[in-house]
Amino acid sequence: MKITPTRARELARHLGGEIVGDADTMITGIAPIEQAGSGDLSFIAQARFLDQLDQTAAAAVLVAANFTLTPGRRPALIRVANPYFAFIEIIKKYLPNPQSAPGIDPSAHVSPHARLGEGVTIGPHATIEAGCEIGAAVQIGAGCYLGRGAKIGSGSTLFPHVCIAHEVIIGRNVIVQFGSVIGSDGFGYVKHEGRHHKIPHLGTVVIEDEVEIGANCTIDRGTFGETRIQRGAKLDNLIHLAHNVTVGENTVIAAQTGVSGSTKIGRDVTIAGQVGFVGHIDIGDHTMFGAQAGVTKSIPANTVVSGYPARDHAQARREEAAIRRLPELLKRVKALERLLAADGKLQLSEDSPKEEMAG
Amino acid sequence: MKITPTRARELARHLGGEIVGDADTMITGIAPIEQAGSGDLSFIAQARFLDQLDQTAAAAVLVAANFTLTPGRRPALIRVANPYFAFIEIIKKYLPNPQSAPGIDPSAHVSPHARLGEGVTIGPHATIEAGCEIGAAVQIGAGCYLGRGAKIGSGSTLFPHVCIAHEVIIGRNVIVQFGSVIGSDGFGYVKHEGRHHKIPHLGTVVIEDEVEIGANCTIDRGTFGETRIQRGAKLDNLIHLAHNVTVGENTVIAAQTGVSGSTKIGRDVTIAGQVGFVGHIDIGDHTMFGAQAGVTKSIPANTVVSGYPARDHAQARREEAAIRRLPELLKRVKALERLLAADGKLQLSEDSPKEEMAG
Amino acid sequence: MKITPTRARELARHLGGEIVGDADTMITGIAPIEQAGSGDLSFIAQARFLDQLDQTAAAAVLVAANFTLTPGRRPALIRVANPYFAFIEIIKKYLPNPQSAPGIDPSAHVSPHARLGEGVTIGPHATIEAGCEIGAAVQIGAGCYLGRGAKIGSGSTLFPHVCIAHEVIIGRNVIVQFGSVIGSDGFGYVKHEGRHHKIPHLGTVVIEDEVEIGANCTIDRGTFGETRIQRGAKLDNLIHLAHNVTVGENTVIAAQTGVSGSTKIGRDVTIAGQVGFVGHIDIGDHTMFGAQAGVTKSIPANTVVSGYPARDHAQARREEAAIRRLPELLKRVKALERLLAADGKLQLSEDSPKEEMAG
């Protein structure tokens, strides 16, 4: 992709990096290392990929300051603390970003009782109800809905078709992607005379600064109190958070995971896709969850779990390996029983199970 | 939360409850017991939480008529049949509910060939196609879409961004939350000459009275005939029901569960989150399904199942406990085999498996 | 359902089929065989259902040319290569399809910098951004969003509320159902100084001809390069495809399945519901995946797998059957150990596990 043409020296200066090779090389685009062509800047994030330097056509490559480089013909290098992070910094500064000018599309429905900061963009067919407070430079995509009293912090972006229900509070520099719903009513009923009666959901949702939420997620509001996603947490697509859930700082949750009511997830937790958590449990900081794990109880900090029910990951793998051998184990035990029966030491009971296995 | 200030006596009268203590206490708000402050009404639903009466600052507490109360200083009590249900009754009557006045937002697209009952509310950017029939006091949120010939019974509420496809029939007092889709085409193709050809979906969806559907669900229409959700059933978020599924009365389904085509789920069934049902099976009344269960065959009434493939829950738990012991069992059988081999009674075969376990 | 009244002879001619019985029978409707009444055309797709010919009230039935028919009183038969496919052909030609006339609803927001083909329909409240190219006879439902530079091939249909993000390319005769999102940003962050920094997603999504995507799906764009769904693939509802995934030709994916980043799925693959795939793996052509399978590694072509972790389906079934017998196996091994201990040959260790099973 084309960027504003810039010399390698200037990019290194912007990044606070050290240049090795031709500092005057003109950089005109960016690309991943295996696709980079003449004029492109690329990056190598891990030392084991350094041999790609010998094949790439890139004009310059971002590498880590602590990589050990062997001599050879190669593109200009820019040594930085974190090459991928530096690559993102270059994209943010030098890649043209054709954004629409701020302004409110005439087809948007904006209540006269909403308060809008400077430089707000509101797309076609959006609805902003009374009492909303929208911070500076917020971008609200086409067809978004903001219920009465919703608050959006400055610098946040709602992609098209996002629903923010009444009174929900969104922090600064938050991103919510297409079609996600923040503040739906939680799933709670009281059974009375054989019928389910809806529990009013009087709480709300608080999304702290720098959080990102993917597409078509559903984040329910608290029954009382709040559902809260703490600073810097990142959620993928089609995730469900029930009422009164807490997600800790910098926690990362992959697609299609669901968290039941009132469960508290700690900080810096890593959750793979399609994981399920029962309600009312505590998930410790720095825990990790394998894909499709079914988490049925609280998990202490710094633990890696997987499987259903979720348990220590190394133990789960040992059990899975043992299950692979289970059909053969049944035969081995049968052989032992026959041997001892032949000795007259064991009576094979009538109801001793037959080899009735499927498959 | 503030309610219309009302004396405890009046609340008790509204509920048909019996007051114990100061009937003149003025109630000005409602809160859960652990958060209740001066002037608040709260409730205790289970006798084992009665000791919270000694600590709460609540002015009055709803308790069950059949609780045994010990003497002590405490707030006013209102004895009722079902404290949580009574609490909801108070919220419904005394909590201010700032609803927009009925009316059709001028930005809504309403076909002149649609029929609207009295007191209908239609939000901004909604679309109501020809032939729709919308009952009295129905609330249709911003950006909702109602296809041609859709029918919505009186008192029902569609949250913003709901899609009701053509000819779908929604009963009375139904709630559909943000972004749910009722009446998408089912997933069916005929393979012909190596390609999949779409089967037209000529059926519809019928949602009976008092049903609630959460956010971002997808309910497919019947291929022929109907997909039907019976009276009082409650669905959480991100649920998928395929073509021609039936969900019985008062059945409760938690988030991210999926039901394949033509499966019939009985009444008063309880289904936890992320459960999957294959197609063309019958699920008996009063069954219960553990989270992430994979249901591969019909299940008789009054059964509790879990796991994959779903089986009797007690049996599943015994098996899971046994799996925990499986790596150690492999060692024990190995020890028995060695013992008998040392006796000359067993020849350890060449291909006897090695300890090759992972982890 | 009523069709344009047509004689059986004419239907047979349209299908290139051979008629057996009264070619003058007037056909006035279509219905599945068990519901068909007087005047209806129906079909039988499998020979084992041929005895339904004796009970049906249908006026004519489509049957396969290779079925062996026994003599008897019966409706007119039309022999064709593929009865269900022929039935669809009749529906497509003879069932009235009340479509709105082509045209752009005045409430739609269409950029003057978009290019529209002939016969395009754009529903109320849709948004078409600058640079979009929309082919002939494309139907865009109410409230759809097309970001800048999106391209839609001729004959495609977007149901209401679909989001097509900027630069996404949709082929010809593609169907995208309600609420699906094509081109959301992928889930990728670089960790730097303890915080997650969003990786810009500069790639796109390409949907080839004849693909169908169900409701409320999320298809992420490539980080670089593309996410691609190849010709004729069919996706059900609530499916998640991450960045840079490829889905091969004619592959079929059931609801709530998720595919992680950069995984390549081959052609003619069949994937049941709620399956999960980890990232960066290769799935061979003509593979099949059981419901809820958790796929943790590449799978060779022509394989059937199931379970978690996904493995050969026959092996998985043998293991599941063996697990059913595991609690009893523990008892049998215990009995063997006791027997040998009684012989003085085995010392039962102190820490020999007790019968501590749950349930």
Side-chain angles (χ1 to χ4, degrees), chain B residues 107 109 125-127 143 145 148 161 163 165 179 181 184-185 187 189-192 194-200 202 216-218 220 224 238-240 256-258 274-276 292-294 308-309 311 315 317-319 321-323 325-326 328-329 332-333 336 339 343 345, chain C residues 1 30-32 82 84-85 87-88 91 95 98 105 124-125 142 159-161 175 177-178 210 212 215-216 231-232 234-238 250 252-256 268 274 291-292 307 320 323-324 326-327 329-330 333-334 336-337 340 345-346 353-359:
Chain B
S107 68
H109 169 101
H125 310 303
T127 297
Y145 169 80
R148 64 183 153 71
H161 288 209
C163 287
V181 171
S184 32
D185 285 350
F187 192 61
Y189 301 88
V190 172
K191 199 156 192 178
H192 184 64
R195 291 166 64 180
H196 303 288
H197 297 267
K198 181 178 174 78
I199 297 173
L202 305 174
N216 282 353
C217 292
T218 61
D220 284 350
F224 287 94
L238 290 168
I239 286 169
H240 165 71
Q256 297 178 318
T257 283
Q274 298 183 334
V275 173
Q292 296 189 328
Y308 175 84
R311 54 203 185 276
Q315 168 71 1
R317 292 204 59 189
R318 270 192 297 274
E319 291 168 12
I323 287 171
R325 296 172 59 186
L326 186 52
E328 164 255 323
L329 183 69
R332 286 162 61 194
V333 171
L336 290 173
L339 193 67
D343 261 13
K345 288 183 172 148
Chain C
M1 313 205 83
I30 50 116
N82 184 331
Y84 204 167
F85 178 73
F87 192 65
I88 295 173
I91 289 170
L95 193 78
D105 190 273
H125 309 306
F159 284 43
H161 287 209
I175 296 171
Q177 292 203 40
F178 306 89
E210 315 281 347
E212 179 162 357
N216 281 353
R231 185 188 176 91
K234 308 292 183 187
L235 275 64
D236 200 351
N237 299 336
L238 290 169
N250 293 325
V252 172
I253 307 181
Q256 295 179 320
D268 292 298
Q274 296 184 336
Q292 295 189 330
E320 282 154 15
I323 287 170
R324 296 300 87 78
L326 187 51
L329 183 69
L330 279 166
V333 171
K334 189 81 175 177
L336 291 172
E337 288 172 338
L340 290 161
K345 289 184 171 147
L346 184 74
K354 310 295 177 295
E355 296 308 310
E356 73 220 354
M357 286 175 288

Side-chain angles (χ1 to χ4, degrees), chain A residues 125 177 212 237 250 337, chain C residues 107 185 189 196 198 220 332:
Chain A
H125 309 304
Q177 293 202 40
E212 179 163 358
N237 299 336
N250 293 324
E337 288 171 337
Chain C
S107 68
D185 286 349
Y189 301 88
H196 303 289
K198 181 179 175 77
D220 284 348
R332 286 161 62 194

Side-chain angles (χ1 to χ4, degrees), chain A residues 81-104:
Chain A
N82 184 331
Y84 204 167
F85 178 73
F87 191 66
I88 294 174
E89 293 288 289
I90 295 300
I91 289 170
K92 284 208 264 191
K93 185 166 170 76
Y94 295 98
L95 192 77
N97 187 4
Q99 278 195 345
S100 33
I104 299 171

Side-chain angles (χ1 to χ4, degrees), chain B residues 296-356:
Chain B
T296 56
K297 55 181 210 286
S298 292
I299 301 290
N302 302 303
T303 316
V304 181
V305 305
S306 66
Y308 175 84
R311 54 203 185 276
D312 174 74
H313 180 59
Q315 168 71 1
R317 292 204 59 189
R318 270 192 297 274
E319 291 168 12
E320 282 154 14
I323 287 171
R324 296 300 87 78
R325 296 172 59 186
L326 186 52
E328 164 255 323
L329 183 69
L330 280 165
K331 290 183 191 151
R332 286 162 61 194
V333 171
K334 188 80 175 178
L336 290 173
E337 288 171 337
R338 288 210 178 102
L339 193 67
L340 290 163
D343 261 13
K345 288 183 172 148
L346 184 73
Q347 196 177 357
L348 285 178
S349 64
E350 293 269 355
D351 58 6
S352 172
K354 310 295 177 293
E355 297 306 312
E356 74 222 352

Side-chain angles (χ1 to χ4, degrees), chain B residues 15 19 64 84 127 148 164 181 223 335:
Chain B
L15 296 168
I19 201 148
Y84 204 167
T127 297
R148 64 183 153 71
I164 308 292
V181 171
T223 312

